[in-house]
Amino acid sequence: MTQPGKVQKSTVTILETSDLHGNMLPLHYANNLPNDVGLAKIAALVAGERKKEANVIVIDNGDLIQGTPLAYHHARLDNEPMDPMVIGLNYIGYDAAVIGNHEFNYGLDVLGKAVKESEFPWLCASIVDAASGEPFLGKPYIIKELPEGVRIGILGLTTPYIPNWENPAHIAGLQFVDAVEAAHKWVKVLKEEERADVVVVSYHGGFERHLETGEPTEPLTGENQGYQLCMEVEGVDVLLTGHQHRSIAGQSINGVLVVQPGTAGVTLGKVKLELSLVEGKWRIDTKTSELLSVTGVEADKKLLELVDTHEAKTQEWLDQPIGKLTGDMLVKDPMQTRLKDSALIEFINRVQMELSGAPISNTALFDNVSPGFPSDITMRDIVSNYIYPNTLKVIRISGQDIKDALEQSAEYFELTPGGEVQVSSKFREPKPQHYNYDMWEGITYKLNISRPIGERVVQLDYDGQPLDLDASYDVVMNNYRAAGGGNYAMFQDKPVIKDIPTDVAELLAGYIMERGTIEASVNGNWEVIWDTE
């Protein structure tokens, strides 16, 4: 009972993970060295917060079940036991999870299994059953009522841009609704029908505009609508975000507190709300957000034990010998690998061409920690270099499309005032997008990055002649790029000549195993140049 004249108070802490991408253990799978990431460390942070705070709600904001060898091995090779990431969320006691775009990477059966195994609801208002129009996982929100009587509504939203990336078979029967449109509908339900005192939206998407100026920071495709949600949807108090892998805390947009906790479990997002009961209604007095780092935090031993069998199987699979290499396919300097044709990139492109029959191919060096291949190749080396569960498509595009794509890739580079090459801000912010810089085989080209953007392709030949911009060419690339992923709009809706639905990592492993030994080769068909004074 509250004493007469004393204002009744309440506080609640909302903890958010997002974009864990299968990271459970605090290690690098490429070499098993320690790494300050993962759900096992997050578990320890959550336990610490529960000791300090009376009312704690824990939400995962999506991209949970894909991204590491542990996640891949479970989804593709050992799908009978419970999903290891779901084991973790169940153990920690999550209140809800939101669907991320990468949840669909292994198909609806794998996703459905993870949802079924979860001791918490999965929320998603913006993906509906195409036939019924109802949210495809049922009720897209939860209500948490605190002991003091505060009703907190939590709504899940997912970027509707998924059809631009995903294998159509993995999203069959689903319809993707604009996130702002879905939020308008369901926030109204939370406020009017559920009488929520606090509305939290957990959105697997990021921000399309600068948080302070509102200026667009990317093409306004509808992939990231966080800023729009804050500005246009009345009644939202807190917006939990993700997808862009940014670290955002301590900021508000139009009075909506926003937070984003990076990727891989490097930090835990923490929101704290303090409320007062005023004239029979709960009001938010203060709301703050911060990011809690897992650096130096000891991983939860019980959770590590719970996933130990999964991990042991994964490690055994990773150490499986694939074949041998003669020559050098190591990545010594990622920038150099992107400036001039290299044996690793040429090998991946050659395999794609050989297996698809296409005369032209492109691929990317996905990140700056890809090690390349050593002389004795194991499965660990394959998945350390080809980290996504992409498949291959051959699409028919014009010579102009190829040139336009090369011009877009050429924007990856910029020159410092001192004439040094660096990654351009467009590809660094809001998150590194090394995976959106492509390197090609089957054509000969030069990019001069001293020239203005859009005019950097200074040589482009096919079969010894200048590429015919009006002619059609069959090109093999991963399914993400073929759908226009990375804002490569020139590839969208092009005729699909061939679809190879096997993961590229599997294709590379099979190719090497079949031959026993592969040889490093570099034909030097492309390079990046710049003018020197």
Side-chain angles (χ1 to χ4, degrees):
M1 291 285 292
T2 306
Q3 293 176 357
K6 189 173 182 182
V7 177
Q8 191 174 354
K9 300 279 190 178
S10 180
T11 64
V12 62
T13 296
I14 301 158
L15 303 177
E16 180 207 6
T17 50
S18 191
D19 302 272
L20 284 164
H21 284 290
N23 282 275
M24 171 63 72
L25 286 88
L27 56 78
H28 292 281
Y29 276 100
N31 50 26
N32 280 345
L33 290 175
N35 192 16
D36 278 317
V37 299
L39 190 59
K41 282 180 172 255
I42 291 288
L45 283 179
V46 173
E49 289 300 307
R50 284 199 172 119
K51 283 178 184 172
K52 289 191 301 183
E53 308 289 349
N55 302 318
V56 176
I57 298 169
V58 191
I59 307 291
D60 184 74
N61 190 57
D63 282 4
L64 176 74
I65 63 171
Q66 173 279 334
T68 57
L70 176 73
Y72 180 95
H73 182 267
H74 173 73
R76 287 286 192 245
L77 303 168
D78 189 31
N79 199 224
E80 284 304 311
M82 188 182 288
D83 187 292
M85 297 305 289
V86 172
I87 289 173
L89 267 60
N90 285 346
Y91 166 75
I92 293 167
Y94 272 67
D95 293 282
V98 174
I99 292 287
N101 52 295
H102 283 283
E103 256 65 75
F104 295 99
N105 284 176
Y106 298 122
L108 287 171
D109 287 347
V110 172
L111 172 55
K113 174 180 171 293
V115 171
K116 192 176 178 182
E117 292 166 348
S118 301
E119 296 169 4
F120 49 85
W122 288 72
L123 312 177
C124 185
S126 53
I127 304 176
V128 301
D129 180 272
S132 69
E134 294 297 314
F136 88 116
L137 292 177
K139 194 166 75 170
Y141 66 85
I142 58 170
I143 299 290
K144 301 294 287 186
E145 186 160 340
L146 304 185
E148 300 84 356
V150 181
R151 290 174 62 81
I152 298 174
I154 300 164
L155 175 69
L157 293 174
T158 303
T159 174
Y161 210 60
I162 291 169
N164 292 282
W165 310 306
E166 192 51 73
N167 182 335
H170 293 174
I171 52 175
L174 300 179
Q175 183 181 340
F176 294 80
V177 180
D178 180 88
V180 175
E181 181 186 322
H184 275 299
K185 173 183 176 179
W186 290 100
V187 169
K188 190 176 181 185
V189 169
L190 288 174
K191 297 293 280 187
E192 295 180 4
E193 296 178 25
E194 295 287 359
R195 305 181 322 282
D197 300 300
V198 176
V199 172
V200 177
V201 172
S202 187
Y203 165 56
H204 189 84
F207 297 97
E208 74 281 31
R209 296 175 180 273
H210 191 281
L211 301 187
E212 289 161 7
T213 67
E215 289 298 310
T217 51
E218 60 183 47
L220 302 179
T221 60
E223 177 182 351
N224 296 299
Q225 295 176 283
Y227 192 90
Q228 194 181 352
L229 284 166
C230 293
M231 297 301 291
E232 296 182 14
V233 182
E234 197 175 335
V236 179
D237 299 299
V238 178
L239 182 66
L240 310 176
T241 64
H243 185 55
Q244 291 174 316
H245 299 185
R246 296 169 70 177
S247 297
I248 299 171
Q251 288 193 264
S252 294
I253 299 170
N254 193 31
V256 180
L257 187 70
V258 299
V259 67
Q260 189 169 144
T263 183
V266 293
T267 57
L268 176 66
K270 178 182 177 180
V271 169
K272 190 166 184 179
L273 306 179
E274 296 182 349
L275 302 99
S276 299
L277 189 62
V278 180
E279 296 178 355
K281 288 191 174 183
W282 286 100
R283 299 279 185 259
I284 299 173
D285 297 327
T286 62
K287 46 186 177 179
T288 57
S289 65
E290 60 181 311
L291 300 180
L292 309 178
S293 174
V294 300
T295 301
V297 172
E298 191 175 343
D300 187 296
K301 287 187 171 61
K302 175 87 181 293
L303 179 50
L304 294 179
E305 287 173 15
L306 289 173
V307 297
D308 185 59
T309 304
H310 287 82
E311 178 64 13
K313 289 179 183 176
T314 302
Q315 291 291 346
E316 185 181 348
W317 170 67
L318 286 172
D319 289 329
Q320 176 187 330
I322 301 294
K324 293 189 175 292
L325 164 70
T326 58
D328 184 0
M329 265 195 211
L330 294 174
V331 176
K332 299 178 182 73
D333 180 340
M335 180 59 87
Q336 290 305 313
T337 301
R338 297 187 181 104
L339 288 171
K340 196 167 187 177
D341 193 16
S342 68
L344 178 69
I345 297 301
E346 181 159 313
F347 172 71
I348 295 171
N349 272 323
R350 289 282 179 198
V351 172
Q352 292 185 171
M353 292 160 76
E354 196 169 320
L355 296 181
S356 69
I360 302 172
S361 173
N362 68 41
T363 191
L365 186 69
F366 293 128
D367 57 33
N368 282 346
V369 296
S370 296
F373 292 154
S375 54
D376 291 300
I377 304 171
T378 64
M379 201 66 212
R380 190 183 303 276
D381 301 310
I382 301 287
V383 298
S384 296
N385 288 284
Y386 210 98
I387 59 175
Y388 296 115
N390 292 332
T391 58
L392 293 179
K393 277 184 165 41
V394 179
I395 60 173
R396 185 161 289 163
I397 60 177
S398 69
Q400 185 65 53
D401 292 330
I402 292 175
K403 185 171 186 290
D404 290 344
L406 285 170
E407 289 288 4
Q408 183 156 327
S409 275
E411 294 181 40
Y412 178 81
F413 303 101
E414 66 184 17
L415 294 171
T416 67
E420 299 292 317
V421 183
Q422 66 179 16
V423 180
S424 67
S425 59
K426 180 178 179 180
F427 283 76
R428 286 196 316 266
E429 297 161 3
K431 68 172 180 178
Q433 295 179 50
H434 306 301
Y435 53 84
N436 281 332
Y437 168 71
D438 291 332
M439 294 159 279
W440 294 62
E441 192 65 39
I443 55 175
T444 303
Y445 65 94
K446 278 185 187 174
L447 308 176
N448 186 335
I449 57 173
S450 298
R451 295 171 64 96
I453 283 172
E455 301 173 24
R456 292 180 167 184
V457 178
V458 292
Q459 180 191 354
L460 180 52
D461 298 335
Y462 176 71
D463 209 13
Q465 300 292 325
L467 186 83
D468 185 345
L469 299 184
D470 297 320
S472 292
Y473 299 90
D474 290 352
V475 181
V476 60
M477 60 187 75
N478 68 54
N479 62 302
Y480 172 79
R481 188 70 79 240
N487 295 314
Y488 281 80
M490 70 289 296
F491 297 149
Q492 274 181 323
D493 302 321
K494 293 297 164 77
V496 177
I497 306 307
K498 193 170 189 179
D499 186 0
I500 302 174
T502 307
D503 287 1
V504 178
E506 288 180 45
L507 294 174
L508 293 171
Y511 183 94
I512 296 168
M513 282 191 278
E514 198 175 294
R515 283 151 188 79
T517 301
I518 58 168
E519 194 172 333
S521 65
V522 185
N523 63 10
N525 66 300
W526 64 271
E527 66 176 330
V528 177
I529 61 172
W530 57 95
D531 303 332
T532 53
E533 293 298 330

Short mmCIF file of all heavy atoms in Angstrom, two decimals, residues 464-491:
data_model
loop_
_atom_site.label_atom_id
_atom_site.label_comp_id
_atom_site.label_asym_id
_atom_site.label_seq_id
_atom_site.Cartn_x
_atom_site.Cartn_y
_atom_site.Cartn_z
N GLY A 464 38.73 -9.89 -75.02
CA GLY A 464 39.71 -9.13 -75.80
C GLY A 464 39.17 -7.90 -76.50
O GLY A 464 39.91 -7.18 -77.17
N GLN A 465 37.88 -7.62 -76.34
CA GLN A 465 37.26 -6.46 -76.98
C GLN A 465 36.54 -5.62 -75.93
O GLN A 465 36.13 -6.15 -74.88
CB GLN A 465 36.22 -6.93 -78.03
CG GLN A 465 36.80 -7.78 -79.14
CD GLN A 465 37.72 -6.99 -80.06
OE1 GLN A 465 37.49 -5.81 -80.31
NE2 GLN A 465 38.78 -7.63 -80.53
N PRO A 466 36.34 -4.31 -76.22
CA PRO A 466 35.56 -3.51 -75.27
C PRO A 466 34.17 -4.14 -75.05
O PRO A 466 33.54 -4.59 -76.01
CB PRO A 466 35.44 -2.15 -75.96
CG PRO A 466 36.66 -2.07 -76.84
CD PRO A 466 36.88 -3.48 -77.32
N LEU A 467 33.75 -4.16 -73.80
CA LEU A 467 32.46 -4.75 -73.47
C LEU A 467 31.34 -3.99 -74.16
O LEU A 467 31.31 -2.75 -74.14
CB LEU A 467 32.25 -4.69 -71.95
CG LEU A 467 31.01 -5.40 -71.41
CD1 LEU A 467 31.30 -6.89 -71.23
CD2 LEU A 467 30.59 -4.80 -70.06
N ASP A 468 30.44 -4.70 -74.82
CA ASP A 468 29.30 -4.10 -75.51
C ASP A 468 28.24 -3.75 -74.46
O ASP A 468 27.63 -4.64 -73.86
CB ASP A 468 28.74 -5.10 -76.53
CG ASP A 468 27.61 -4.49 -77.37
OD1 ASP A 468 27.07 -3.44 -76.98
OD2 ASP A 468 27.26 -5.09 -78.41
N LEU A 469 28.01 -2.47 -74.25
CA LEU A 469 27.09 -2.04 -73.19
C LEU A 469 25.65 -2.42 -73.49
O LEU A 469 24.81 -2.49 -72.58
CB LEU A 469 27.21 -0.53 -72.96
CG LEU A 469 28.58 -0.02 -72.51
CD1 LEU A 469 28.53 1.47 -72.23
CD2 LEU A 469 29.09 -0.77 -71.28
N ASP A 470 25.33 -2.67 -74.77
CA ASP A 470 23.96 -3.02 -75.15
C ASP A 470 23.73 -4.53 -75.21
O ASP A 470 22.58 -4.97 -75.33
CB ASP A 470 23.61 -2.41 -76.52
CG ASP A 470 23.63 -0.89 -76.48
OD1 ASP A 470 23.16 -0.33 -75.47
OD2 ASP A 470 24.14 -0.27 -77.43
N ALA A 471 24.80 -5.31 -75.15
CA ALA A 471 24.66 -6.77 -75.25
C ALA A 471 24.25 -7.36 -73.90
O ALA A 471 24.35 -6.71 -72.86
CB ALA A 471 25.97 -7.38 -75.73
N SER A 472 23.79 -8.62 -73.94
CA SER A 472 23.42 -9.34 -72.72
C SER A 472 24.50 -10.32 -72.33
O SER A 472 25.12 -10.95 -73.21
CB SER A 472 22.10 -10.09 -72.91
OG SER A 472 21.03 -9.18 -73.06
N TYR A 473 24.72 -10.47 -71.03
CA TYR A 473 25.75 -11.37 -70.52
C TYR A 473 25.17 -12.15 -69.34
O TYR A 473 24.42 -11.60 -68.53
CB TYR A 473 26.98 -10.59 -70.05
CG TYR A 473 27.64 -9.79 -71.15
CD1 TYR A 473 27.24 -8.48 -71.41
CD2 TYR A 473 28.64 -10.35 -71.93
CE1 TYR A 473 27.84 -7.73 -72.41
CE2 TYR A 473 29.25 -9.61 -72.94
CZ TYR A 473 28.84 -8.31 -73.18
OH TYR A 473 29.44 -7.57 -74.19
N ASP A 474 25.54 -13.42 -69.25
CA ASP A 474 25.13 -14.24 -68.10
C ASP A 474 26.23 -14.17 -67.04
O ASP A 474 27.39 -14.47 -67.32
CB ASP A 474 24.91 -15.69 -68.52
CG ASP A 474 23.66 -15.85 -69.38
OD1 ASP A 474 22.91 -14.86 -69.53
OD2 ASP A 474 23.45 -16.94 -69.93
N VAL A 475 25.85 -13.77 -65.83
CA VAL A 475 26.81 -13.55 -64.74
C VAL A 475 26.36 -14.35 -63.52
O VAL A 475 25.18 -14.33 -63.15
CB VAL A 475 26.91 -12.06 -64.37
CG1 VAL A 475 27.92 -11.85 -63.25
CG2 VAL A 475 27.30 -11.23 -65.59
N VAL A 476 27.30 -15.07 -62.89
CA VAL A 476 27.00 -15.79 -61.66
C VAL A 476 27.42 -14.96 -60.45
O VAL A 476 28.49 -14.34 -60.45
CB VAL A 476 27.67 -17.19 -61.64
CG1 VAL A 476 29.19 -17.10 -61.74
CG2 VAL A 476 27.26 -17.97 -60.39
N MET A 477 26.55 -14.91 -59.47
CA MET A 477 26.82 -14.15 -58.23
C MET A 477 25.97 -14.77 -57.12
O MET A 477 25.11 -15.62 -57.37
CB MET A 477 26.47 -12.67 -58.43
CG MET A 477 25.03 -12.40 -58.78
SD MET A 477 24.72 -10.63 -59.21
CE MET A 477 25.42 -10.52 -60.83
N ASN A 478 26.23 -14.35 -55.87
CA ASN A 478 25.44 -14.93 -54.79
C ASN A 478 24.01 -14.38 -54.81
O ASN A 478 23.72 -13.35 -55.42
CB ASN A 478 26.12 -14.74 -53.43
CG ASN A 478 26.17 -13.31 -52.96
OD1 ASN A 478 25.16 -12.62 -52.88
ND2 ASN A 478 27.36 -12.84 -52.62
N ASN A 479 23.11 -15.10 -54.15
CA ASN A 479 21.69 -14.75 -54.21
C ASN A 479 21.39 -13.38 -53.62
O ASN A 479 20.47 -12.68 -54.07
CB ASN A 479 20.85 -15.82 -53.49
CG ASN A 479 21.18 -15.95 -52.01
OD1 ASN A 479 22.32 -16.22 -51.65
ND2 ASN A 479 20.20 -15.75 -51.14
N TYR A 480 22.17 -12.97 -52.60
CA TYR A 480 21.99 -11.63 -52.00
C TYR A 480 22.21 -10.54 -53.03
O TYR A 480 21.40 -9.63 -53.18
CB TYR A 480 22.96 -11.49 -50.83
CG TYR A 480 23.05 -10.11 -50.21
CD1 TYR A 480 22.07 -9.66 -49.32
CD2 TYR A 480 24.12 -9.26 -50.48
CE1 TYR A 480 22.16 -8.39 -48.74
CE2 TYR A 480 24.21 -8.00 -49.90
CZ TYR A 480 23.24 -7.58 -49.04
OH TYR A 480 23.32 -6.33 -48.46
N ARG A 481 23.31 -10.66 -53.77
CA ARG A 481 23.62 -9.65 -54.78
C ARG A 481 22.67 -9.74 -55.97
O ARG A 481 22.24 -8.71 -56.51
CB ARG A 481 25.08 -9.81 -55.25
CG ARG A 481 25.54 -8.69 -56.15
CD ARG A 481 25.71 -7.36 -55.42
NE ARG A 481 26.94 -7.32 -54.68
CZ ARG A 481 27.01 -7.15 -53.37
NH1 ARG A 481 25.91 -6.99 -52.66
NH2 ARG A 481 28.16 -7.13 -52.75
N ALA A 482 22.32 -10.96 -56.38
CA ALA A 482 21.44 -11.13 -57.53
C ALA A 482 20.07 -10.50 -57.31
O ALA A 482 19.40 -10.09 -58.26
CB ALA A 482 21.29 -12.62 -57.87
N ALA A 483 19.67 -10.41 -56.03
CA ALA A 483 18.37 -9.79 -55.71
C ALA A 483 18.50 -8.27 -55.57
O ALA A 483 17.52 -7.60 -55.27
CB ALA A 483 17.83 -10.38 -54.42
N GLY A 484 19.72 -7.74 -55.76
CA GLY A 484 19.93 -6.30 -55.62
C GLY A 484 20.43 -5.90 -54.26
O GLY A 484 20.52 -4.70 -53.96
N GLY A 485 20.77 -6.89 -53.39
CA GLY A 485 21.28 -6.59 -52.06
C GLY A 485 22.51 -5.70 -52.11
O GLY A 485 23.35 -5.83 -53.01
N GLY A 486 22.62 -4.79 -51.14
CA GLY A 486 23.72 -3.83 -51.14
C GLY A 486 23.43 -2.64 -52.02
O GLY A 486 24.33 -1.90 -52.42
N ASN A 487 22.12 -2.46 -52.35
CA ASN A 487 21.67 -1.38 -53.24
C ASN A 487 22.22 -1.49 -54.66
O ASN A 487 22.41 -0.49 -55.34
CB ASN A 487 22.01 0.00 -52.63
CG ASN A 487 21.24 0.26 -51.35
OD1 ASN A 487 20.04 0.02 -51.28
ND2 ASN A 487 21.93 0.74 -50.33
N TYR A 488 22.45 -2.73 -55.09
CA TYR A 488 22.80 -2.97 -56.49
C TYR A 488 21.51 -3.15 -57.28
O TYR A 488 21.16 -4.25 -57.73
CB TYR A 488 23.71 -4.20 -56.61
CG TYR A 488 25.15 -3.91 -56.26
CD1 TYR A 488 25.57 -3.85 -54.93
CD2 TYR A 488 26.10 -3.67 -57.25
CE1 TYR A 488 26.89 -3.57 -54.59
CE2 TYR A 488 27.43 -3.38 -56.93
CZ TYR A 488 27.80 -3.33 -55.59
OH TYR A 488 29.12 -3.05 -55.27
N ALA A 489 20.80 -2.02 -57.47
CA ALA A 489 19.47 -2.07 -58.09
C ALA A 489 19.53 -2.55 -59.53
O ALA A 489 18.54 -3.06 -60.06
CB ALA A 489 18.84 -0.68 -58.03
N MET A 490 20.69 -2.42 -60.18
CA MET A 490 20.81 -2.84 -61.59
C MET A 490 20.64 -4.36 -61.76
O MET A 490 20.41 -4.83 -62.86
CB MET A 490 22.14 -2.37 -62.20
CG MET A 490 23.40 -3.06 -61.69
SD MET A 490 23.87 -2.65 -59.97
CE MET A 490 24.24 -0.91 -60.10
N PHE A 491 20.74 -5.11 -60.66
CA PHE A 491 20.58 -6.57 -60.76
C PHE A 491 19.16 -7.03 -60.42
O PHE A 491 18.82 -8.19 -60.64
CB PHE A 491 21.55 -7.28 -59.79
CG PHE A 491 23.00 -7.05 -60.09
CD1 PHE A 491 23.94 -7.04 -59.06
CD2 PHE A 491 23.45 -6.84 -61.39
CE1 PHE A 491 25.29 -6.84 -59.31
CE2 PHE A 491 24.81 -6.63 -61.66
CZ PHE A 491 25.72 -6.63 -60.61
#
